[in-house]
Amino acid sequence: MKLIMAVVQDIDSPKLVAELTRNNIGVTKLSSTGGFLQRGNATLLMGVEEERLDEVIKIIEKICRSRKHVITPFPASPGETMAPYPIEVTVGGATVFVLNVERFEKI
């Protein structure tokens, strides 16, 4: 048994949760916020048998694509200077953690 923790952009989470559910993969969604852009994310928790691990990863890869986004950075603290012009950053995709599960029970 594996625990998959996937941090995805809010914009991708509804479609991803629907696709996982369609494939009979139980998922729990937690709201979270990213550190760099301070944008909304979703952290999805899934407990799956090891045989289904690659299937779940492929579903995540299919739906959670990286995209370019233009931001105007602000100084982190008073007195700091930063470029006053917009910069392009890559957002989206997914950060996926796979952990071994010692015990799993549905009660």
Side-chain angles (χ1 to χ4, degrees):
M1 177 67 78
K2 299 290 183 181
L3 172 64
I4 302 172
M5 295 174 45
V7 181
V8 303
Q9 269 197 315
D10 268 344
I11 196 168
D12 293 327
S13 66
K15 188 173 179 182
L16 180 56
V17 168
E19 185 67 19
L20 291 166
T21 302
R22 228 182 332 277
N23 284 275
N24 204 26
I25 298 162
V27 59
T28 298
K29 177 184 168 188
L30 306 172
S31 294
S32 53
T33 303
F36 178 64
L37 296 176
Q38 296 295 309
R39 300 270 169 117
N41 291 329
T43 300
L44 305 179
L45 306 175
M46 297 149 277
V48 299
E49 296 297 330
E50 192 162 356
E51 301 80 40
R52 297 196 73 190
L53 182 60
D54 290 335
E55 172 190 357
V56 174
I57 299 293
K58 285 178 184 168
I59 292 170
I60 295 169
E61 287 174 343
K62 179 176 81 172
I63 293 174
C64 299
R65 297 282 181 200
S66 295
R67 52 187 76 76
K68 300 289 184 186
H69 188 73
V70 177
I71 65 163
T72 302
F74 292 98
S77 62
E80 279 190 35
T81 58
M82 293 190 74
Y85 49 85
I87 59 172
E88 186 176 77
V89 294
T90 302
V91 298
T95 301
V96 180
F97 302 90
V98 179
L99 301 109
N100 291 322
V101 175
E102 186 174 316
R103 183 174 171 174
F104 174 79
E105 292 184 33
K106 274 192 166 181
I107 299 174

XYZ file of all heavy atoms in Angstrom:
823
model
N 0.847 -1.171 0.000
C 0.000 0.000 0.000
C 0.895 1.238 0.000
O 1.924 1.270 0.656
C -0.899 -0.011 1.231
C -1.785 1.188 1.385
S -3.072 1.392 0.156
C -4.292 0.237 0.677
N 0.483 2.246 -0.788
C 1.222 3.499 -0.898
C 0.282 4.667 -0.599
O -0.911 4.605 -0.890
C 1.784 3.692 -2.316
C 2.757 2.619 -2.754
C 4.048 2.705 -1.997
C 5.024 1.655 -2.507
N 6.282 1.691 -1.779
N 0.836 5.719 -0.016
C 0.123 6.974 0.152
C 0.719 7.961 -0.836
O 1.927 8.214 -0.812
C 0.276 7.525 1.576
C -0.287 8.936 1.801
C -1.802 8.942 1.609
C 0.086 9.439 3.180
N -0.116 8.469 -1.730
C 0.325 9.463 -2.697
C -0.186 10.819 -2.221
O -1.378 10.984 -1.964
C -0.231 9.174 -4.109
C 0.204 7.793 -4.580
C 0.214 10.251 -5.089
C -0.466 7.357 -5.867
N 0.736 11.759 -2.080
C 0.390 13.147 -1.771
C 0.759 13.963 -2.997
O 1.928 14.011 -3.372
C 1.164 13.649 -0.554
C 0.809 12.937 0.723
S 1.853 13.412 2.136
C 1.931 15.166 2.013
N -0.229 14.585 -3.628
C 0.018 15.373 -4.830
C -0.426 16.812 -4.582
O -1.588 17.055 -4.254
C -0.741 14.786 -6.019
N 0.510 17.744 -4.720
C 0.189 19.163 -4.596
C 0.005 19.698 -6.008
O 0.930 19.646 -6.820
C 1.315 19.927 -3.855
C 0.945 21.404 -3.714
C 1.595 19.301 -2.498
N -1.215 20.173 -6.303
C -1.562 20.633 -7.648
C -2.194 22.023 -7.567
O -2.647 22.442 -6.499
C -2.521 19.647 -8.350
C -1.927 18.256 -8.419
C -3.872 19.600 -7.666
N -2.246 22.716 -8.684
C -2.901 24.021 -8.715
C -4.402 23.851 -8.558
O -4.985 22.874 -9.051
C -2.618 24.736 -10.039
C -1.408 25.605 -9.992
C -1.413 26.585 -11.154
O -1.698 26.212 -12.284
N -1.090 27.829 -10.877
N -5.038 24.821 -7.893
C -6.492 24.790 -7.723
C -7.226 24.612 -9.043
O -8.214 23.899 -9.114
C -6.983 26.089 -7.067
C -7.056 25.986 -5.558
O -7.034 24.875 -5.024
O -7.144 27.044 -4.917
N -6.721 25.236 -10.083
C -7.390 25.182 -11.389
C -7.435 23.755 -11.950
O -8.331 23.397 -12.695
C -6.715 26.158 -12.382
C -7.611 26.396 -13.590
C -5.336 25.684 -12.790
C -7.147 27.548 -14.466
N -6.459 22.915 -11.577
C -6.406 21.535 -12.070
C -7.153 20.551 -11.176
O -7.495 19.450 -11.614
C -4.948 21.072 -12.186
C -4.179 21.821 -13.252
O -4.783 22.196 -14.275
O -2.960 22.022 -13.073
N -7.407 20.916 -9.930
C -7.921 19.931 -8.968
C -9.310 19.372 -9.288
O -9.513 18.162 -9.144
C -7.859 20.468 -7.539
O -8.732 21.547 -7.358
N -10.298 20.171 -9.732
C -11.616 19.558 -9.998
C -11.560 18.475 -11.071
O -12.153 17.399 -10.913
C -12.478 20.739 -10.456
C -11.805 21.951 -9.923
C -10.340 21.635 -9.913
N -10.851 18.752 -12.155
C -10.753 17.767 -13.241
C -9.969 16.532 -12.779
O -10.331 15.400 -13.108
C -10.077 18.409 -14.451
C -10.093 17.548 -15.683
C -9.554 18.306 -16.889
C -9.547 17.415 -18.114
N -8.987 18.082 -19.280
N -8.913 16.748 -11.997
C -8.116 15.619 -11.509
C -8.924 14.755 -10.551
O -8.925 13.527 -10.668
C -6.840 16.125 -10.840
C -5.912 15.049 -10.272
C -5.505 14.037 -11.334
C -4.683 15.697 -9.642
N -9.625 15.375 -9.612
C -10.445 14.608 -8.663
C -11.514 13.815 -9.411
O -11.756 12.642 -9.107
C -11.068 15.543 -7.600
C -12.135 14.819 -6.790
C -9.990 16.102 -6.676
N -12.144 14.432 -10.414
C -13.171 13.730 -11.198
C -12.582 12.531 -11.926
O -13.179 11.444 -11.944
C -13.826 14.697 -12.189
N -11.406 12.703 -12.521
C -10.773 11.603 -13.266
C -10.335 10.481 -12.327
O -10.497 9.297 -12.642
C -9.576 12.134 -14.068
C -8.929 11.110 -14.958
C -9.803 10.646 -16.117
O -10.780 11.342 -16.463
O -9.507 9.581 -16.678
N -9.785 10.829 -11.180
C -9.398 9.796 -10.204
C -10.630 9.025 -9.737
O -10.612 7.796 -9.658
C -8.673 10.444 -9.014
C -7.288 11.022 -9.317
C -6.827 11.916 -8.180
C -6.270 9.913 -9.575
N -11.708 9.743 -9.443
C -12.953 9.109 -8.988
C -13.521 8.201 -10.072
O -13.978 7.090 -9.794
C -13.980 10.184 -8.580
O -13.399 10.997 -7.561
C -15.255 9.559 -8.058
N -13.466 8.665 -11.335
C -13.939 7.856 -12.464
C -13.166 6.546 -12.572
O -13.681 5.539 -13.031
C -13.780 8.655 -13.764
C -14.971 8.668 -14.647
C -14.841 9.400 -15.966
N -13.924 10.507 -16.077
C -14.169 11.772 -15.717
N -15.343 12.070 -15.192
N -13.279 12.718 -15.875
N -11.906 6.575 -12.145
C -11.060 5.380 -12.192
C -11.055 4.613 -10.872
O -10.164 3.802 -10.630
C -9.633 5.775 -12.591
C -9.520 6.063 -14.058
O -9.329 5.170 -14.867
N -9.669 7.332 -14.437
N -12.059 4.907 -10.037
C -12.243 4.184 -8.771
C -11.035 4.328 -7.836
O -10.620 3.371 -7.200
C -12.573 2.714 -9.028
C -13.320 2.108 -7.862
O -14.000 2.823 -7.123
N -13.184 0.812 -7.686
N -10.471 5.542 -7.792
C -9.361 5.841 -6.898
C -9.876 6.845 -5.879
O -10.261 7.964 -6.233
C -8.154 6.415 -7.673
C -7.647 5.370 -8.671
C -7.048 6.851 -6.721
C -6.769 5.923 -9.762
N -9.919 6.445 -4.622
C -10.386 7.330 -3.559
C -9.403 8.477 -3.359
O -8.190 8.280 -3.390
N -9.927 9.669 -3.138
C -9.069 10.844 -2.995
C -9.666 11.785 -1.954
O -10.885 11.942 -1.878
C -8.872 11.550 -4.361
C -10.188 11.987 -4.952
C -7.917 12.718 -4.256
N -8.790 12.380 -1.148
C -9.176 13.410 -0.194
C -8.459 14.688 -0.591
O -7.248 14.681 -0.803
C -8.782 13.014 1.247
O -9.474 11.827 1.603
C -9.118 14.120 2.230
N -9.217 15.790 -0.684
C -8.651 17.075 -1.103
C -8.519 18.002 0.095
O -9.479 18.215 0.837
C -9.546 17.718 -2.166
C -9.079 19.081 -2.609
C -10.065 19.694 -3.593
C -9.752 21.158 -3.800
N -10.774 21.834 -4.582
N -7.316 18.572 0.258
C -7.058 19.569 1.287
C -6.656 20.861 0.595
O -5.828 20.848 -0.314
C -5.913 19.125 2.203
C -6.035 17.747 2.849
C -4.751 17.380 3.563
C -7.197 17.731 3.820
N -7.206 21.977 1.020
C -6.801 23.262 0.455
C -5.456 23.660 1.043
O -5.203 23.460 2.223
C -7.839 24.337 0.770
O -9.035 24.046 0.108
N -4.589 24.233 0.206
C -3.272 24.672 0.659
C -2.874 25.901 -0.143
O -3.516 26.256 -1.124
C -2.247 23.536 0.511
O -2.247 23.004 -0.800
N -1.808 26.557 0.282
C -1.324 27.752 -0.398
C 0.152 27.598 -0.681
O 0.920 27.200 0.203
C -1.542 29.009 0.479
O -2.922 29.108 0.785
C -1.095 30.263 -0.234
N 0.549 27.922 -1.913
C 1.949 27.832 -2.290
C 2.762 28.964 -1.673
O 2.252 30.057 -1.453
N 4.025 28.717 -1.419
C 4.876 29.697 -0.772
C 5.337 30.819 -1.676
O 5.320 31.980 -1.300
N 5.770 30.523 -2.899
C 6.359 31.532 -3.766
C 5.327 32.501 -4.317
O 5.443 33.710 -4.182
C 7.136 30.869 -4.913
C 7.742 31.843 -5.871
C 8.733 32.724 -5.468
C 7.314 31.893 -7.181
C 9.288 33.641 -6.354
C 7.863 32.799 -8.079
C 8.846 33.670 -7.665
N 4.288 31.990 -4.939
C 3.281 32.855 -5.560
C 2.116 33.184 -4.641
O 1.282 34.010 -4.966
C 2.742 32.202 -6.841
C 3.748 31.994 -7.958
C 3.096 31.254 -9.113
C 4.331 33.314 -8.431
N 2.044 32.523 -3.499
C 0.932 32.714 -2.566
C -0.408 32.470 -3.251
O -1.372 33.180 -3.031
C 0.977 34.118 -1.946
C 2.195 34.372 -1.093
C 2.235 33.498 0.144
O 1.266 33.423 0.884
N 3.342 32.805 0.366
N -0.451 31.475 -4.103
C -1.678 31.112 -4.825
C -2.261 29.843 -4.225
O -1.564 29.049 -3.606
C -1.360 30.864 -6.306
C -0.774 32.045 -7.014
C -1.889 32.898 -7.612
N -1.360 34.167 -8.068
C -1.359 34.564 -9.308
N -1.852 33.803 -10.246
N -0.890 35.746 -9.626
N -3.541 29.637 -4.489
C -4.219 28.463 -3.983
C -3.761 27.186 -4.660
O -3.549 27.149 -5.874
N -3.569 26.173 -3.856
C -3.233 24.833 -4.320
C -4.222 23.865 -3.710
O -4.983 24.216 -2.813
C -1.827 24.419 -3.861
C -0.727 25.199 -4.524
O -0.848 25.625 -5.661
N 0.359 25.398 -3.808
N -4.167 22.653 -4.170
C -4.892 21.561 -3.531
C -3.879 20.458 -3.264
O -3.061 20.145 -4.127
C -6.010 21.053 -4.426
N -3.923 19.921 -2.063
C -3.093 18.762 -1.733
C -4.029 17.564 -1.714
O -4.988 17.531 -0.942
C -2.396 18.944 -0.375
O -1.561 20.114 -0.445
C -1.537 17.730 -0.042
N -3.785 16.614 -2.603
C -4.634 15.437 -2.725
C -3.953 14.253 -2.072
O -2.759 14.007 -2.291
C -4.912 15.138 -4.196
C -5.513 16.277 -5.012
C -5.723 15.847 -6.454
C -6.814 16.761 -4.403
N -4.699 13.524 -1.262
C -4.204 12.325 -0.594
C -4.922 11.114 -1.161
O -6.155 11.094 -1.246
C -4.461 12.399 0.915
C -3.929 13.631 1.647
C -4.368 13.605 3.105
C -2.424 13.700 1.543
N -4.129 10.112 -1.572
C -4.700 8.899 -2.142
C -3.982 7.681 -1.577
O -2.749 7.625 -1.624
C -4.545 8.895 -3.669
C -5.279 10.017 -4.367
S -4.451 10.548 -5.884
C -3.221 11.658 -5.233
N -4.723 6.733 -1.081
C -4.156 5.456 -0.661
C -4.421 4.434 -1.754
O -5.584 4.193 -2.106
N -3.345 3.878 -2.331
C -3.517 2.942 -3.446
C -2.630 1.717 -3.260
O -1.590 1.775 -2.606
C -3.196 3.591 -4.817
C -4.126 4.754 -5.095
C -1.762 4.036 -4.906
N -3.071 0.633 -3.863
C -2.230 -0.557 -3.912
C -1.033 -0.263 -4.813
O -1.136 0.510 -5.769
C -3.016 -1.751 -4.457
C -4.181 -2.172 -3.590
C -3.755 -2.664 -2.213
O -2.642 -3.216 -2.088
O -4.540 -2.480 -1.270
N 0.085 -0.869 -4.526
C 1.313 -0.605 -5.280
C 1.138 -0.857 -6.778
O 1.716 -0.153 -7.604
C 2.468 -1.448 -4.730
C 3.806 -1.024 -5.269
C 4.967 -1.520 -4.446
O 4.757 -2.139 -3.388
O 6.099 -1.288 -4.881
N 0.297 -1.824 -7.139
C 0.076 -2.148 -8.548
C -0.579 -0.995 -9.314
O -0.485 -0.909 -10.532
C -0.815 -3.393 -8.692
C -0.268 -4.643 -8.049
C -0.512 -4.689 -6.539
O -1.607 -4.297 -6.061
O 0.419 -5.111 -5.824
N -1.274 -0.106 -8.608
C -1.982 1.002 -9.271
C -1.187 2.307 -9.237
O -1.647 3.330 -9.755
C -3.347 1.220 -8.608
C -4.249 -0.013 -8.775
C -5.672 0.289 -8.502
N -6.246 1.084 -9.596
C -7.434 1.655 -9.531
N -8.167 1.558 -8.447
N -7.897 2.356 -10.545
N -0.016 2.288 -8.657
C 0.785 3.495 -8.495
C 1.076 4.178 -9.834
O 0.832 5.374 -9.999
C 2.089 3.164 -7.759
C 3.017 4.330 -7.462
C 2.335 5.365 -6.580
C 4.280 3.815 -6.780
N 1.559 3.441 -10.815
C 1.879 4.021 -12.123
C 0.633 4.581 -12.811
O 0.694 5.629 -13.461
C 2.566 3.000 -13.029
C 3.978 2.676 -12.568
O 4.591 3.532 -11.886
O 4.466 1.581 -12.894
N -0.494 3.905 -12.654
C -1.758 4.378 -13.237
C -2.131 5.751 -12.674
O -2.494 6.664 -13.425
C -2.867 3.361 -12.934
C -4.252 3.807 -13.316
C -5.336 2.875 -12.780
O -5.028 1.843 -12.143
O -6.516 3.228 -12.998
N -2.005 5.908 -11.367
C -2.348 7.178 -10.727
C -1.388 8.286 -11.169
O -1.813 9.393 -11.505
C -2.354 7.044 -9.184
C -2.555 8.400 -8.529
C -3.431 6.067 -8.747
N -0.106 7.983 -11.217
C 0.886 8.973 -11.649
C 0.587 9.432 -13.081
O 0.665 10.619 -13.392
C 2.317 8.413 -11.542
C 2.658 8.042 -10.092
C 3.335 9.392 -12.120
C 2.754 9.181 -9.130
N 0.206 8.504 -13.945
C -0.109 8.866 -15.337
C -1.331 9.777 -15.420
O -1.379 10.693 -16.238
C -0.312 7.616 -16.178
C 0.989 6.923 -16.519
C 0.767 5.662 -17.318
C 2.111 4.971 -17.528
N 1.983 3.624 -18.031
N -2.327 9.527 -14.588
C -3.510 10.388 -14.564
C -3.114 11.800 -14.126
O -3.534 12.795 -14.723
C -4.603 9.808 -13.635
C -5.176 8.514 -14.234
C -5.714 10.830 -13.382
C -6.079 7.736 -13.297
N -2.287 11.898 -13.101
C -1.824 13.209 -12.622
C -1.046 13.921 -13.728
O -1.267 15.106 -13.999
C -0.973 13.064 -11.348
C -1.831 12.519 -10.194
C -0.338 14.405 -10.967
C -1.042 12.099 -8.962
N -0.147 13.210 -14.389
C 0.649 13.802 -15.473
C -0.235 14.296 -16.616
O 0.034 15.333 -17.223
C 1.650 12.788 -16.025
C 2.814 12.521 -15.100
C 3.726 11.406 -15.616
O 3.301 10.627 -16.509
O 4.853 11.314 -15.121
N -1.290 13.540 -16.922
C -2.178 13.889 -18.033
C -2.935 15.192 -17.764
O -3.122 16.009 -18.670
C -3.175 12.748 -18.277
C -4.163 12.998 -19.386
C -5.047 11.789 -19.630
C -6.165 11.753 -18.611
N -7.182 10.732 -18.877
N -3.340 15.413 -16.527
C -4.208 16.550 -16.213
C -3.449 17.776 -15.705
O -3.811 18.902 -16.017
C -5.291 16.109 -15.202
C -6.207 15.106 -15.912
C -6.063 17.297 -14.648
C -7.232 14.473 -15.055
N -2.396 17.574 -14.971
C -1.682 18.689 -14.334
C -0.496 19.114 -15.176
O 0.611 18.599 -15.026
C -1.233 18.296 -12.935
S -2.604 17.874 -11.862
N -0.730 20.069 -16.047
C 0.304 20.559 -16.962
C 0.920 21.841 -16.437
O 0.244 22.663 -15.828
C -0.306 20.848 -18.338
C -0.861 19.626 -19.016
C 0.263 18.833 -19.597
N -0.250 17.655 -20.269
C 0.504 16.627 -20.527
N 1.748 16.629 -20.159
N 0.014 15.591 -21.138
N 2.202 22.013 -16.715
C 2.868 23.278 -16.408
C 2.414 24.327 -17.405
O 2.099 24.023 -18.550
C 4.387 23.114 -16.503
O 4.841 22.229 -15.523
N 2.368 25.563 -16.952
C 2.007 26.680 -17.822
C 2.801 27.900 -17.399
O 3.296 27.962 -16.285
C 0.498 26.935 -17.778
C -0.062 27.091 -16.395
C -1.589 27.175 -16.331
N -2.358 25.974 -16.496
C -2.528 25.021 -15.596
N -1.931 25.095 -14.449
N -3.286 23.994 -15.840
N 2.912 28.861 -18.296
C 3.635 30.101 -18.008
C 2.664 31.122 -17.422
O 1.500 31.178 -17.815
C 4.271 30.677 -19.276
C 5.268 29.748 -19.935
C 6.521 29.634 -19.123
C 7.532 28.760 -19.870
N 8.705 28.507 -19.090
N 3.159 31.914 -16.471
C 2.346 32.942 -15.824
C 3.227 34.159 -15.610
O 4.387 34.028 -15.228
C 1.822 32.406 -14.488
C 0.838 33.295 -13.820
N -0.448 33.443 -14.262
C 0.943 34.083 -12.734
C -1.088 34.288 -13.466
N -0.254 34.690 -12.530
N 2.702 35.336 -15.851
C 3.463 36.569 -15.666
C 3.069 37.190 -14.329
O 1.877 37.373 -14.039
C 3.192 37.561 -16.824
C 3.931 38.869 -16.581
C 3.610 36.949 -18.156
N 4.083 37.491 -13.497
C 3.835 38.116 -12.197
C 4.713 39.355 -12.067
O 5.734 39.489 -12.734
C 4.129 37.157 -11.026
C 5.620 36.801 -10.965
C 3.273 35.916 -11.093
C 6.032 36.216 -9.627
N 4.293 40.257 -11.196
C 5.132 41.391 -10.827
C 5.577 41.156 -9.396
O 4.756 41.184 -8.469
C 4.350 42.719 -10.931
O 3.866 42.853 -12.266
C 5.232 43.897 -10.586
N 6.850 40.874 -9.194
C 7.313 40.566 -7.839
C 7.305 41.804 -6.948
O 7.499 42.924 -7.408
C 8.736 40.061 -8.063
C 9.155 40.601 -9.372
C 7.901 40.805 -10.179
N 7.050 41.580 -5.671
C 7.082 42.638 -4.674
C 8.223 42.353 -3.709
O 8.565 41.192 -3.476
C 5.749 42.693 -3.906
C 4.608 43.151 -4.764
C 3.751 42.240 -5.347
C 4.413 44.501 -4.988
C 2.690 42.665 -6.144
C 3.360 44.934 -5.790
C 2.501 44.018 -6.363
N 8.809 43.388 -3.121
C 9.886 43.163 -2.145
C 9.403 42.297 -0.989
O 8.259 42.417 -0.550
C 10.235 44.568 -1.662
C 9.726 45.482 -2.725
C 8.540 44.788 -3.338
N 10.274 41.421 -0.513
C 9.922 40.529 0.589
C 9.810 41.288 1.910
O 9.042 40.907 2.785
C 10.949 39.411 0.702
N 10.584 42.358 2.070
C 10.532 43.142 3.300
C 10.866 44.593 2.972
O 11.450 44.891 1.930
C 11.507 42.573 4.327
O 12.834 42.653 3.839
N 10.511 45.511 3.872
C 10.783 46.924 3.619
C 12.278 47.160 3.383
O 13.124 46.564 4.041
C 10.313 47.619 4.897
C 9.359 46.667 5.514
C 9.828 45.287 5.123
N 12.568 48.003 2.426
C 13.958 48.324 2.131
C 14.572 47.470 1.041
O 15.592 47.828 0.466
N 13.990 46.315 0.764
C 14.506 45.461 -0.307
C 14.042 46.010 -1.644
O 12.959 46.558 -1.767
C 13.988 44.023 -0.166
C 14.746 43.210 0.834
C 14.352 41.737 0.754
O 14.068 41.230 -0.354
O 14.320 41.103 1.810
N 14.886 45.861 -2.633
C 14.487 46.278 -3.975
C 14.394 45.055 -4.867
O 15.147 44.095 -4.709
C 15.508 47.270 -4.574
O 16.788 46.646 -4.605
C 15.570 48.543 -3.755
N 13.436 45.107 -5.751
C 13.259 44.020 -6.714
C 12.949 44.651 -8.061
O 12.616 45.827 -8.147
C 12.135 43.079 -6.289
C 12.457 42.298 -5.020
S 11.268 41.011 -4.693
C 11.709 39.818 -5.924
N 13.029 43.862 -9.086
C 12.747 44.347 -10.432
C 11.311 44.867 -10.489
O 10.382 44.148 -10.135
C 12.953 43.233 -11.438
N 11.082 46.107 -10.930
C 9.736 46.663 -10.973
C 8.960 46.252 -12.218
O 7.974 46.861 -12.548
C 9.996 48.176 -10.977
C 11.299 48.301 -11.672
C 12.100 47.073 -11.287
N 9.424 45.266 -12.902
C 8.759 44.852 -14.130
C 8.325 43.396 -13.999
O 8.882 42.627 -13.216
C 9.689 45.029 -15.333
C 11.069 44.449 -15.130
C 11.322 43.110 -15.381
C 12.108 45.246 -14.665
C 12.583 42.573 -15.182
C 13.374 44.712 -14.460
C 13.603 43.376 -14.722
O 14.851 42.835 -14.504
N 7.304 43.016 -14.755
C 6.793 41.639 -14.677
C 7.828 40.616 -15.147
O 8.663 40.908 -16.006
C 5.594 41.643 -15.626
C 5.262 43.072 -15.843
C 6.539 43.840 -15.666
N 7.760 39.450 -14.549
C 8.609 38.338 -14.973
C 7.732 37.127 -15.254
O 6.636 37.001 -14.716
C 9.683 37.981 -13.918
C 9.029 37.588 -12.586
C 10.667 39.117 -13.724
C 10.006 37.033 -11.560
N 8.213 36.269 -16.122
C 7.472 35.061 -16.473
C 7.981 33.901 -15.623
O 9.185 33.689 -15.512
C 7.664 34.743 -17.956
C 6.813 33.585 -18.441
C 6.964 33.363 -19.934
O 7.989 32.796 -20.337
O 6.051 33.766 -20.674
N 7.047 33.173 -15.008
C 7.400 32.009 -14.201
C 6.584 30.809 -14.681
O 5.512 30.964 -15.266
C 7.142 32.246 -12.697
C 8.055 33.321 -12.141
C 5.692 32.592 -12.420
N 7.111 29.630 -14.447
C 6.392 28.403 -14.766
C 5.598 27.975 -13.538
O 6.145 27.878 -12.443
C 7.375 27.290 -15.175
O 8.129 27.745 -16.295
C 6.632 26.020 -15.540
N 4.306 27.760 -13.718
C 3.431 27.310 -12.640
C 2.705 26.047 -13.090
O 2.732 25.685 -14.263
C 2.409 28.400 -12.230
C 3.109 29.625 -11.696
C 1.506 28.765 -13.391
N 2.032 25.436 -12.173
C 1.253 24.260 -12.519
C 2.065 22.997 -12.383
O 3.050 22.944 -11.667
N 1.639 21.986 -13.105
C 2.262 20.688 -12.919
C 1.805 20.120 -11.585
O 0.757 20.474 -11.065
N 2.612 19.278 -11.016
C 2.280 18.678 -9.724
C 3.563 18.309 -9.010
O 4.558 17.968 -9.645
C 1.405 17.442 -9.919
N 3.509 18.391 -7.701
C 4.586 17.858 -6.872
C 4.000 16.630 -6.191
O 2.993 16.734 -5.480
C 5.044 18.894 -5.824
O 5.482 20.065 -6.515
C 6.187 18.344 -4.986
N 4.603 15.487 -6.444
C 4.024 14.218 -5.985
C 4.989 13.522 -5.031
O 6.174 13.353 -5.338
C 3.720 13.292 -7.192
C 3.129 11.973 -6.720
C 2.780 13.986 -8.165
N 4.469 13.137 -3.881
C 5.215 12.360 -2.895
C 4.569 10.984 -2.800
O 3.347 10.871 -2.751
C 5.161 13.016 -1.511
C 5.692 14.420 -1.478
C 4.841 15.500 -1.698
C 7.032 14.671 -1.228
C 5.316 16.803 -1.667
C 7.523 15.966 -1.197
C 6.655 17.036 -1.414
N 5.376 9.942 -2.765
C 4.868 8.577 -2.605
C 5.504 8.000 -1.351
O 6.731 7.934 -1.243
C 5.198 7.701 -3.835
C 4.681 6.290 -3.626
C 4.616 8.311 -5.102
N 4.656 7.590 -0.408
C 5.145 7.070 0.869
C 4.643 5.649 1.096
O 3.529 5.303 0.687
C 4.652 7.953 2.015
C 5.079 9.415 1.927
C 3.882 10.262 1.584
C 5.681 9.845 3.218
N 5.450 4.853 1.751
C 5.021 3.519 2.138
C 4.022 3.631 3.280
O 4.169 4.469 4.170
C 6.213 2.670 2.594
C 7.130 2.326 1.452
O 6.685 2.057 0.343
N 8.424 2.343 1.711
N 3.004 2.780 3.259
C 1.986 2.759 4.308
C 2.161 1.473 5.094
O 2.082 0.378 4.533
C 0.566 2.847 3.708
C -0.488 2.707 4.793
C 0.397 4.146 2.951
N 2.411 1.617 6.368
C 2.592 0.441 7.216
C 1.260 -0.246 7.502
O 1.162 -1.461 7.554
C 3.247 0.869 8.532
C 3.615 -0.290 9.423
C 4.375 0.157 10.644
O 5.287 1.004 10.498
O 4.078 -0.353 11.736
N 0.214 0.562 7.658
C -1.109 0.003 7.970
C -2.175 0.912 7.376
O -2.068 2.137 7.431
C -1.262 -0.078 9.486
C -2.534 -0.693 9.946
C -2.505 -0.854 11.443
N -3.798 -1.263 11.946
C -4.020 -1.586 13.197
N -3.027 -1.558 14.050
N -5.206 -1.942 13.585
N -3.231 0.312 6.830
C -4.328 1.067 6.237
C -5.631 0.401 6.642
O -5.788 -0.807 6.476
C -4.187 1.074 4.702
C -5.354 1.696 4.005
C -5.476 3.086 3.929
C -6.327 0.923 3.407
C -6.552 3.667 3.274
C -7.409 1.491 2.761
C -7.513 2.879 2.691
N -6.557 1.195 7.184
C -7.868 0.674 7.561
C -8.935 1.677 7.188
O -8.754 2.871 7.365
C -7.939 0.444 9.082
C -7.056 -0.663 9.576
C -7.238 -0.894 11.067
O -8.360 -0.703 11.589
O -6.247 -1.264 11.702
N -10.048 1.188 6.681
C -11.240 2.008 6.477
C -12.229 1.599 7.549
O -12.616 0.445 7.616
C -11.826 1.783 5.093
C -11.218 2.631 4.030
C -12.062 2.554 2.779
C -11.633 3.672 1.847
N -12.421 3.679 0.630
N -12.630 2.555 8.342
C -13.518 2.235 9.476
C -14.865 2.901 9.259
O -14.958 4.003 8.823
C -12.880 2.707 10.810
C -11.560 1.969 11.004
C -13.829 2.464 11.962
C -10.749 2.431 12.191
